[in-house]
Amino acid sequence: MYLLQHVELQVPSPKQDEVLLKMEATSINPFDLRIQKGIVWPFLPRKFPHIPGIDAAGEVFEVGSGVKNFKAGDKAVSVLFNICGGGLAEFAVAKENLTVSRPPEVTAFQGAALPIAGLAAHECLLRTPGFNYEKTGQQLNLLITAASGGVGQYAVQLAKLGNAHVTATCGARNLDLVKSLGADEVIDYKTPDGAALKSPSGRKYDAVIHCATGFPWSTFKPNLSTNGKVFDITPTPSVFMTYALQKLTFSKKQLVPLLMTPKKEKLDFLLNFVKEGKIKAVIDSIHPLSKAEEAWAKSIDGHASGKIIVKP
């Protein structure tokens, strides 16, 4: 496991098609923790020091050559996929093709909470056969596990903007929160029904957005409809193996590892939902950059309600 420490570095310079952001906020995602644990090495980190943080909200400080849609002073939200990181800094370089304008109706904290978590939830729904935001066609039955977490909170809200009945699991202290986000049924995951992932109304799930850990395929399978899919947002090697076996055997019920490529257009789409008040960011806590390790520890603990924000 790589250690976190505060260091002084030179302010980076934007290259072609890049913008330099003066950071206003970032948030911590499970993928950041996977990088720290060395799970995705040798792909990341490729270079040290590596600055964690993929989500970014800030003000454009400088633009590189070829940048057409941003100028100094613009407010922006971005997904940072640079070799060196990272949002846990006072300045960060972002690709123009992964950066969108942040409207004044959206705060920096709301913007920083959205990118990876919101895009993951949105991607699962887009891959769910029959789901749409027009609320047309047959109503789908969805299960969202760990619905009070970073991805889960967006999954509930986005699903309810579409043609879905939502069953959600969370801890007892967050039952009211998840209900307030629009879930039709909310189950305490520590109860017998919660552990078995059973819908209180006896529904079979057309899709599961699985944001928790520790549930074997055998728990999901009896709760799925004929063609039900389970989207695992933090897949382990065993999930990939199960998926491959199911593809080989033409199984209608499938455990699907979520592999997501962020797209500017999708981020802008979600940011408009925030602007219009159709979805909101549930923020667990806000930490100064000088105490980023406290935010990191809270994320590792795994019981945050919503997103953990770090501000310079």
Side-chain angles (χ1 to χ4, degrees):
M1 180 181 291
Y2 308 115
L3 298 177
L4 290 177
Q5 56 183 309
H6 294 272
V7 297
E8 292 283 339
L9 299 173
Q10 283 189 329
V11 175
S13 297
K15 299 176 183 177
Q16 184 175 355
D17 300 323
E18 293 180 340
V19 299
L20 176 64
L21 297 178
K22 185 176 183 181
M23 292 294 296
E24 295 177 322
T26 188
S27 68
I28 298 174
N29 292 286
F31 188 71
D32 295 310
L33 306 182
R34 290 164 78 92
I35 293 174
Q36 187 201 22
K37 292 176 182 177
I39 293 174
V40 293
W41 188 86
F43 304 104
L44 287 171
R46 296 186 194 174
K47 184 178 178 181
F48 289 97
H50 174 83
I51 305 170
I54 303 171
D55 299 330
E59 181 177 300
V60 176
F61 190 79
E62 184 183 347
V63 299
S65 62
V67 172
K68 298 177 180 178
N69 298 315
F70 294 95
K71 64 183 185 303
D74 288 346
K75 300 293 186 179
V77 174
S78 186
V79 179
L80 304 176
F81 270 129
N82 301 308
I83 291 174
C84 299
L88 287 178
E90 295 174 316
F91 290 89
V93 169
K95 301 286 187 183
E96 185 184 19
N97 64 2
L98 286 174
T99 302
V100 299
S101 296
R102 175 167 62 86
E105 296 89 348
V106 180
T107 68
F109 296 156
Q110 291 172 326
L114 180 66
I116 293 300
L119 287 169
H122 181 53
E123 191 67 25
C124 290
L125 292 169
L126 292 180
R127 296 186 191 183
T128 299
F131 177 83
N132 64 80
Y133 288 114
E134 290 76 38
K135 294 192 174 184
T136 59
Q138 181 179 349
Q139 186 184 60
L140 301 178
N141 295 316
L142 302 188
L143 170 66
I144 299 166
T145 63
S148 60
V151 177
Q153 55 146 333
Y154 287 119
V156 171
Q157 295 177 80
L158 290 170
K160 290 309 298 177
L161 290 178
N163 57 327
H165 176 281
V166 173
T167 303
T169 70
C170 63
R173 68 187 178 91
N174 288 316
L175 293 173
D176 289 339
L177 167 64
V178 175
K179 287 177 184 176
S180 74
L181 296 176
D184 300 287
E185 302 175 323
V186 187
I187 318 167
D188 179 353
Y189 74 93
K190 289 186 177 180
T191 63
D193 278 353
L197 301 178
K198 288 185 177 180
S199 162
S201 58
R203 297 168 185 260
K204 298 294 184 181
Y205 308 121
D206 299 300
V208 179
I209 301 179
H210 183 37
C211 309
T213 57
F215 286 93
W217 170 246
S218 58
T219 303
F220 291 110
K221 189 175 180 180
N223 293 301
L224 296 176
S225 62
T226 303
N227 296 297
K229 304 286 189 290
V230 178
F231 298 99
D232 193 322
I233 69 164
T234 54
T236 60
S238 65
V239 172
F240 286 96
M241 291 178 63
T242 300
Y243 175 65
L245 180 61
Q246 290 168 345
K247 294 291 281 186
L248 287 171
T249 57
F250 302 100
S251 174
K252 292 183 177 180
K253 298 181 180 182
Q254 292 183 353
L255 176 61
V256 182
L258 179 67
L259 298 175
M260 181 187 70
T261 302
K263 298 289 186 182
K264 178 175 182 173
E265 296 77 15
K266 293 178 180 179
L267 179 57
D268 197 42
F269 176 80
L270 294 179
L271 203 60
N272 276 320
F273 275 167
V274 179
K275 173 187 174 182
E276 295 166 4
K278 293 181 178 179
I279 61 174
K280 65 179 182 179
V282 176
I283 295 174
D284 176 274
S285 53
I286 300 170
H287 305 259
L289 180 60
S290 61
K291 296 184 178 180
E293 61 275 10
E294 294 180 2
W296 199 268
K298 191 173 183 65
S299 183
I300 290 174
D301 181 58
H303 292 95
S305 302
K307 295 291 292 181
I308 299 168
I309 302 293
V310 178
K311 63 175 185 177

